[in-house]
């Protein structure tokens, strides 16, 4: 029996794809672009990452797509390949971002930003020409609020600054690695009523050295708040301590950084059977959170890196054999949506399993695939 609520949602999703411009000559079009994108998206949710496997799956599920999506016939492999090469991947990515926000919401107060290179897409095998995509990721829900291709002749910094013009950062703390610790980036975030939390390295002139020197030789009379955690996982013992300083009258560059309220240090000590390693990282923030909260937010950033890791491990993105950059951008957006859906579904059911296992279950069970698509 068809679940008409699910069917309406499926058709609504197809309607969103209808705004993607179809570059084909319309008089010769047999298969609608929205149908092609819908079928590929379902295959990606099932964990398929190679065009031959995607097409074989779709061909074997022709009745399923006709019943639930109203798709009358399945294109050939050549048609799938040609259409994915021709369409605007950036447009598809924006649609998927909007679908994620509408379906799964924008819960979470930490927005982690990180770039990822799709290895193997470089021209002539040159890794410097690999396709790179920067993503703004809500760490609580796994929803992507924005993503952009990084053009070959630029880098992440200006692309992220342009993204901020369209990102809703109000009430959120934006985290990114040290390259994004830029005055203009901080200004845009604060003006849009968000907060920032950035690591420091040598690319900010003497700021890193001044902050490090102060924490190493703090004069008397300064109140440093601290919070520490100790975690044991198997044979790994990890100690973390956050030292926060809100008194910034000593910092020469204070007024140069929009909204700056806090500098802090995170000391890390990891002990394993092989020995002990120690390191200290230094950060700035426009918030005046407690050291406990600052430590939590700093640690949240790893979730966007984990998402990028899953794109490689679960979907083998770095080994994707497609030659078209537009195809890679489209499939990258589908994969992020798939991860967000599986995460939301698994959070709603009592019996948990790994994301990859749930993808396999969707491949084998059409009714589960529909439930995953409908979650949120």
């Amino acid at each position: 029996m068809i679940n008409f609520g699910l069917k309406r949602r499926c058709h609504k999703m197809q309607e969103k794809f209808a705004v993607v411009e179809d570059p084909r000559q319309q008089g010769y079009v047999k298969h609608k672009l929205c149908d092609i994108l819908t079928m590929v998206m379902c295959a990606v949710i099932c964990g398929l990452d190679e065009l031959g496997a995607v097409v074989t799956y779709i061909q074997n599920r022709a009745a399923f797509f006709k019943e639930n999506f109203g798709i009358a016939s399945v294109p050939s492999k050549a048609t799938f390949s040609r259409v994915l090469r021709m369409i605007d991947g950036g447009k598809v990515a924006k649609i998927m971002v909007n679908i994620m926000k509408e379906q799964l919401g924008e819960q979470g107060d930490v927005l982690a930003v990180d770039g990822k290179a799709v290895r193997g897409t470089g021209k002539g095998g040159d890794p410097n020409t690999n396709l790179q995509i920067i993503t703004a990721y809500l760490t609580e829900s796994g929803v992507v609020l924005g993503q952009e291709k990084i053009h070959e002749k630029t880098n992440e910094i200006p692309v992220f600054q342009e993204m901020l013009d369209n990102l809703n950062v109000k009430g959120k703390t934006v985290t990114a690695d040290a390259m994004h610790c830029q005055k203009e980036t901080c200004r845009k975030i604060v003006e849009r009523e968000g907060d920032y939390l950035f690591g420091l390295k040598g690319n900010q002139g003497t700021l890193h050295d001044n902050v490090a020197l102060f924490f190493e030789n703090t004069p008397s009379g300064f109140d440093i708040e601290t919070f520490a955690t100790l975690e044991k996982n198997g044979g790994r013992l990890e100690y973390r301590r956050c030292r926060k300083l809100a008194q910034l009258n000593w910092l020469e560059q204070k007024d140069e950084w929009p909204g700056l309220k806090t500098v802090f240090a995170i000391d890390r000590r990891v002990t394993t059977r092989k020995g002990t390693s120690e390191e200290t990282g230094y950060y700035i923030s426009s918030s005046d959170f407690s050291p406990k909260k600052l430590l939590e937010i700093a640690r949240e950033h790893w979730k966007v890196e984990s998402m990028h890791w899953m794109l490689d491990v679960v979907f083998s993105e770095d080994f994707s054999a497609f030659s078209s950059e537009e195809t890679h951008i489209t499939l990258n957006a589908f994969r992020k949506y798939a991860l967000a859906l599986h995460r939301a579904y698994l959070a709603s059911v009592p019996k948990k399993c790994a994301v990859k296992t749930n993808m396999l279950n969707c491949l084998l069970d059409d009714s589960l695939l529909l439930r995953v698509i409908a979650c949120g």
Side-chain angles (χ1 to χ4, degrees):
M1 180 181 293
I2 299 174
N3 183 317
F4 289 99
L6 287 179
K7 192 171 183 179
R8 281 195 299 272
R9 176 165 283 188
C10 292
H11 285 301
K12 187 176 180 180
M13 189 172 295
Q14 285 173 279
E15 291 170 4
K16 292 184 181 297
F17 287 138
V19 304
V20 180
E21 182 181 354
D22 191 340
R24 297 173 293 174
Q25 291 186 347
Q26 294 306 299
Y28 297 94
V29 169
K30 180 180 178 182
H31 306 281
K32 293 188 293 185
L33 178 60
C34 61
D35 291 349
I36 291 174
L37 291 174
T38 298
M39 289 185 281
V40 174
M41 182 195 69
C42 288
V44 172
I45 293 171
C46 292
L48 300 175
D49 50 47
E50 192 272 328
L51 183 60
V54 168
V55 175
T56 298
Y57 162 76
I58 293 170
Q59 290 172 341
N60 285 320
R61 291 295 194 276
F64 164 79
F65 284 110
K66 183 175 182 178
E67 179 181 17
N68 293 282
F69 295 91
I71 299 173
S73 61
V74 174
S76 66
K77 180 179 178 180
T79 298
F80 276 111
S81 178
R82 183 175 67 256
V83 170
L84 288 173
R85 286 198 311 270
M86 295 172 68
I87 59 173
D88 185 339
K91 185 67 175 180
V92 176
K94 285 180 170 59
I95 290 171
M96 296 314 301
V97 166
N98 289 332
I99 289 174
M100 274 189 265
K101 290 192 288 189
E102 290 178 15
Q103 184 174 351
L104 300 171
E106 298 183 42
Q107 294 82 17
D109 56 10
V110 178
L111 184 64
V113 177
D114 191 41
K116 179 186 183 297
V118 182
R119 294 180 177 84
T121 58
K123 299 173 183 176
D126 180 1
N128 294 318
T129 61
N130 283 335
L131 168 66
Q132 296 186 65
I133 298 173
I134 186 169
T135 304
Y137 181 79
L138 280 171
T139 60
E140 180 179 324
S141 61
V143 169
V144 173
L145 291 192
Q147 72 171 60
E148 291 290 342
K149 169 189 170 182
I150 301 170
H151 299 284
E152 187 176 326
K153 294 183 180 180
T154 185
N155 59 51
E156 289 186 29
I157 295 171
V159 176
F160 177 37
Q161 290 174 348
E162 289 177 13
M163 283 178 65
L164 283 169
D165 293 331
N166 300 304
L167 281 177
N168 175 21
V169 301
K170 184 177 180 179
K172 296 177 173 61
T173 300
V174 179
T175 71
D177 63 28
M179 83 162 67
H180 291 293
C181 188
Q182 305 287 330
K183 294 168 188 174
E184 176 64 10
T185 304
C186 294
R187 182 189 65 79
K188 286 198 168 194
I189 293 170
V190 171
E191 286 183 351
R192 298 182 69 83
E193 300 182 66
D195 281 305
Y196 59 80
L197 189 156
F198 294 140
L200 296 177
K201 284 189 178 177
N203 60 319
Q204 300 89 21
T206 60
L207 181 60
H208 172 274
D209 293 341
N210 288 348
V211 171
L213 182 63
F214 195 88
F215 273 104
E216 292 168 5
N217 303 278
T218 307
S220 60
F222 284 87
D223 180 25
I224 295 183
E225 301 177 62
T226 63
F227 176 79
T229 62
L230 183 65
E231 298 176 0
K232 188 173 183 179
N233 185 8
R236 178 187 177 93
L237 187 66
E238 187 166 358
Y239 169 81
R240 292 175 182 259
R241 179 180 62 168
C242 178
R243 295 178 284 154
K244 171 201 168 184
L245 180 63
Q247 298 165 269
L248 300 181
N249 55 308
W250 56 272
L251 186 60
E252 294 178 5
Q253 301 99 325
K254 176 184 181 298
D255 295 332
E256 299 175 14
W257 292 85
L260 179 60
K261 292 182 181 177
T262 304
V263 298
F264 64 101
I266 295 180
D267 307 305
R268 304 176 182 88
R269 184 175 68 241
V270 178
T271 302
T272 65
R273 295 183 183 89
K274 296 182 179 180
T276 298
S277 62
E278 297 183 4
E279 64 175 355
T280 298
Y282 301 98
Y283 302 80
I284 63 172
S285 179
S286 61
S287 66
D288 191 27
F289 293 132
S290 69
K292 178 181 178 182
K293 181 71 171 177
L294 291 171
L295 179 60
E296 290 171 351
I297 294 173
R299 295 191 68 183
E300 279 287 291
H301 185 76
W302 74 269
K303 290 183 179 178
V304 67
E305 297 170 353
S306 175
M307 181 271 290
H308 283 155
W309 178 81
M310 290 190 72
L311 292 181
D312 289 335
V313 173
V314 176
F315 293 102
S316 304
E317 182 170 81
D318 277 352
F319 299 97
S320 184
F322 296 99
S323 58
S324 164
E325 204 168 76
E326 299 302 326
T327 304
H328 282 289
I329 295 171
T330 295
L331 294 180
N332 175 270
F334 283 162
R335 290 164 186 149
K336 289 169 181 169
Y337 178 57
L339 287 173
L341 282 184
H342 284 289
R343 177 177 177 174
Y345 175 79
L346 291 171
S348 70
V349 295
K351 188 175 181 180
K352 311 298 182 185
C353 65
V355 167
K356 193 160 188 174
T357 300
N358 206 55
M359 289 178 172
L360 177 60
N361 291 337
C362 286
L363 182 65
L364 301 173
D365 184 348
D366 293 338
S367 64
L368 175 60
L369 171 60
L370 291 175
R371 293 198 300 275
V372 169
I373 292 174
C375 73

